[in-house]
């Protein structure tokens, strides 16, 4: 009987994770498609402009995930405990919270797009392209954030396959529209950002199939104590926000440091690596988010053995992905770089090639760190989840990249990321072991 239960849990885990990994990889193509088409259509200046503007997307995406992951985690716990009315109120609170928070980004687009563009380091020939991309992304913040929230809740409401379909529909529409807007229609960077911004709208249209279905548990119900409820779900999703926002802060810091070391060409090389990194990270994020409904449900029902097994499955799968991905990138780095290097710039190719070999060693540890942070959110250990997210994003990486860039130049820049993830992974292992020890007491 136990073998049958183990097999059932593993098959459910695989279903949720594979749907989410597929969807998240598709979702990551929002930006990668922009990178590829802008590099080919607008050259190194366009690639530099994109890389200067894209950190703001991390803040939008992270804020949406904070409301979505935090709310969905609480939703699953409440459903497992039989509190259906409370679960509906949580869904309503998450949607309202996301819409309120998104208004700050819209306001920034209307009142501060030029100041923000200058603040991000854009100047000269790349200023206007950066400003256009930035302004449109900010104006579409409500769509991006609401899409994140609904994706998380639909997944937790028993439809991981529809979540995957919605993410893929948005991603593929972005790729097609990117090509049409940039090349046949000649709309430049404005076309690229419009294509990206329409993707969450298309994704939401697909997700509405679940919201309107009779079997959906995602109904609106007037929440009580909206401020307190909102704060509670945001605290559970804080690690997701920190991970994404820190990614934006890190990109900004890397951009400034690389500008001082290698100029716009260095930022273009980092743009290739950073956007490849988004795709690889999406695999681990998909694994973590696919595990989240199972972890939250098991925690709500008090099944510690199931929690341990799901966490072990997720970490093992992530480590397998890590070895495979690094091997492929090491072998194929030259043809991959050439996709973004339309002008055959040898300096750009050499810089990006060295960066891939050094920077991507971090992904031997990234999966463990992302999964561990989500794991602690699911078992309502928000402090530990927050600590891991802060270590990865700000506490370690920022001082390390500043110090190592001064000591070792670009080599130090590339190696600061693996050093951060290694130290964070050591902390994650310690935290997890302590958690299991307490559960046995």
């Amino acid at each position: 009987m136990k073998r049958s239960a183990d097999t059932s849990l593993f098959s459910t885990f695989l279903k949720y994770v594979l749907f989410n990994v597929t969807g998240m990889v598709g979702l990551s193509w929002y930006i990668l498609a922009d990178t590829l088409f802008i590099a080919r259509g607008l050259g190194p200046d366009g690639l530099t402009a994109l890389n200067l503007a894209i950190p703001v997307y991390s803040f939008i995406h992270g804020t949406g995930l904070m409301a979505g992951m935090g709310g969905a985690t609480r939703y699953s716990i409440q459903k497992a405990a039989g509190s259906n009315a409370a679960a509906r109120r949580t869904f309503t609170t998450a949607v309202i919270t996301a819409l309120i928070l998104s208004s700050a980004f819209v306001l920034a687009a209307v009142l501060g797009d030029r100041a923000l563009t200058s603040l991000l380091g854009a100047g000269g020939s790349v200023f206007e392209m950066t400003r256009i991309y930035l302004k449109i992304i900010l104006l579409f913040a409500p769509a991006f954030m609401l899409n994140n929230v609904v994706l998380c809740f639909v997944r937790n409401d028993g439809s991981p396959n529809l979540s995957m379909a919605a993410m893929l529909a948005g991603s593929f529409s972005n790729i097609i529209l990117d090509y049409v807007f940039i090349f046949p229609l000649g709309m430049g960077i404005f076309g690229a950002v419009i294509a990206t911004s329409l993707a969450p709208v298309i994704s939401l249209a697909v997700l509405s199939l679940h919201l309107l279905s009779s079997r959906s548990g995602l109904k609106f119900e007037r929440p009580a104590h909206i401020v307190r409820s909102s704060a509670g779900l945001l605290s559970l999703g804080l690690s997701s926000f920190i991970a994404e926002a820190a990614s934006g802060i890190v990109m900004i810091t890397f951009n400034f440091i690389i500008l001082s070391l290698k100029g716009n060409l260095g930022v273009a090389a980092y743009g290739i690596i950073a956007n490849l990194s988004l795709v690889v990270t999406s695999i681990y994020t998909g694994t973590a988010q696919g595990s989240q409904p199972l972890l939250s449900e098991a925690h709500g029902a008090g099944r510690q053995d199931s929690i341990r097994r799901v966490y072990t499955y997720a970490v093992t799968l992530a480590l397998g992905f890590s070895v495979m991905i690094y091997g492929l990138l090491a072998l194929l780095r030259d043809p991959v770089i050439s996709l973004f290097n339309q002008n055959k710039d040898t300096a750009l190719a050499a810089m990006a090639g060295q960066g891939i070999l050094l920077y991507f060693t971090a992904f031997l540890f990234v999966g463990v760190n992302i999964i561990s942070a989500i794991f602690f959110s699911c078992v309502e250990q928000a402090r530990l989840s927050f600590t891991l997210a802060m270590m990865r994003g700000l506490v370690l990486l920022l001082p390390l990249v500043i110090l190592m860039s001064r000591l070792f130049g670009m080599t130090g820049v590339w190696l600061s990321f693996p050093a951060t993830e290694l130290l964070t992974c050591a902390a994650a292992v310690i935290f997890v072991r302590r958690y299991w020890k307490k559960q046995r007491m």
Side-chain angles (χ1 to χ4, degrees):
M1 182 67 73
K2 186 175 189 301
R3 182 183 295 273
S4 175
D6 290 351
T7 303
S8 175
L9 180 62
F10 183 67
S11 62
T12 304
F13 165 81
L14 282 181
K15 181 182 80 169
Y16 272 80
V17 167
L18 291 177
F19 280 142
N20 277 280
V21 168
T22 304
M24 286 302 298
V25 170
L27 193 63
S28 70
W29 278 80
Y30 275 24
I31 305 304
L32 190 64
D34 280 356
T35 307
L36 180 59
F37 288 120
I38 287 172
R40 288 181 167 267
L42 303 174
D45 278 355
L47 194 55
T48 301
L50 174 65
N51 209 51
L52 291 172
I54 210 62
V56 172
Y57 173 78
S58 296
F59 287 94
I60 296 170
H61 187 56
T63 306
L65 278 180
M66 178 167 58
M69 289 296 289
T73 297
R74 178 148 290 171
Y75 177 86
S76 285
I77 293 170
Q78 289 167 334
K79 289 274 284 187
S83 303
N84 293 329
R88 290 193 295 271
R89 288 194 293 271
T90 294
F91 171 62
T92 308
T93 300
V95 170
I96 293 171
T97 301
L99 291 174
I100 291 172
L101 292 175
S102 69
S103 64
F105 293 106
V106 174
L107 196 62
V110 174
L111 301 178
D113 59 320
R114 289 189 172 276
L116 188 54
T117 303
S118 297
L119 189 64
L120 291 171
S125 60
V126 302
F127 181 89
E128 191 59 20
M129 284 193 289
T130 307
R131 186 192 70 81
I132 291 169
Y133 198 96
L134 191 63
K135 188 179 186 76
I136 302 301
I137 283 287
L138 288 167
L139 287 173
F140 274 83
F144 283 109
M145 290 172 59
L146 193 58
N147 183 48
N148 278 337
V149 169
V150 179
L151 277 170
C152 290
F153 274 90
V154 168
R155 183 187 309 123
N156 279 262
D157 201 40
S159 293
N161 52 338
L162 188 65
S163 290
M164 178 194 72
M167 287 188 277
L168 291 178
S171 182
F172 287 137
S173 71
N174 177 45
I175 294 169
I176 294 166
L177 292 176
D178 256 329
Y179 172 78
V180 173
F181 290 165
I182 292 176
F183 294 106
L185 297 183
M187 294 170 65
I189 203 161
F190 177 75
V193 70
I194 286 294
T196 297
S197 299
L198 289 175
V201 178
I202 292 167
S203 176
L204 281 167
V206 175
L207 292 169
S208 68
L209 296 174
H210 180 81
L211 298 179
L212 297 174
S213 72
S214 58
R215 66 184 184 84
S216 172
L218 302 177
K219 307 298 181 186
F220 290 105
E221 184 161 326
R222 184 172 181 173
H225 311 295
I226 181 69
V227 174
R228 188 170 64 200
S229 299
S230 178
L233 66 87
L234 289 177
S235 70
L236 286 177
L238 187 59
S239 65
S240 295
F241 170 76
I242 294 294
E244 293 296 328
S247 174
I249 293 170
V250 166
M251 285 187 73
I252 293 169
T253 306
F254 270 56
N255 284 336
F256 275 110
I257 290 173
I258 293 172
L259 273 171
S260 69
L261 290 173
K262 297 292 182 179
N264 283 348
L265 192 67
V267 174
Y270 175 55
I272 295 171
I273 289 169
N275 284 283
L276 288 173
S277 176
L278 283 175
V279 177
V280 178
T281 301
S282 72
I283 294 173
Y284 304 118
T285 304
T287 303
Q289 291 186 3
S291 305
Q292 178 265 316
L294 303 179
L295 289 167
S296 298
E297 182 184 357
H299 177 66
R303 299 194 304 269
Q304 288 297 323
D305 187 53
S306 295
I307 294 173
R308 183 189 288 271
R309 291 204 306 275
V310 170
Y311 177 77
T312 302
Y313 296 155
V315 168
T316 303
L317 187 62
L319 291 173
F321 279 136
S322 298
V323 174
M324 180 179 67
I325 290 165
Y326 188 80
L328 287 173
L329 283 173
L331 288 172
L332 302 175
R333 67 184 185 281
D334 291 336
V336 168
I337 292 168
S338 69
L339 292 173
F340 303 91
N341 189 14
Q342 183 72 6
N343 297 334
K344 308 298 182 185
D345 190 311
T346 54
L348 176 63
M351 204 180 308
Q354 181 202 34
I356 284 176
L357 287 177
L358 299 178
Y359 191 89
F360 279 86
T361 57
F363 287 95
L364 297 170
F365 316 107
V366 168
V368 176
N369 296 336
I370 291 175
I371 290 164
S372 297
I374 294 294
F375 162 74
F376 283 120
S377 288
C378 292
V379 296
E380 298 184 281
Q381 297 289 319
R383 182 179 60 83
L384 293 177
S385 180
F386 174 78
T387 300
L388 290 177
M390 286 295 292
M391 287 179 69
R392 292 186 65 227
L394 300 174
V395 174
L396 293 177
L397 186 52
L398 289 185
L400 278 174
V401 69
I402 293 169
L403 174 63
M404 294 176 72
S405 66
R406 290 181 179 177
L407 293 175
F408 308 112
M410 283 300 294
T411 300
V413 172
W414 302 137
L415 286 175
S416 61
F417 182 48
T420 298
E421 295 294 340
L422 172 60
L423 293 171
T424 305
C425 187
V429 170
I430 292 170
F431 293 164
V432 170
R433 292 185 67 178
R434 286 178 179 173
Y435 174 81
W436 293 129
K437 186 176 180 180
K438 285 183 180 178
Q439 299 310 308
R440 290 195 297 265
M441 293 174 66

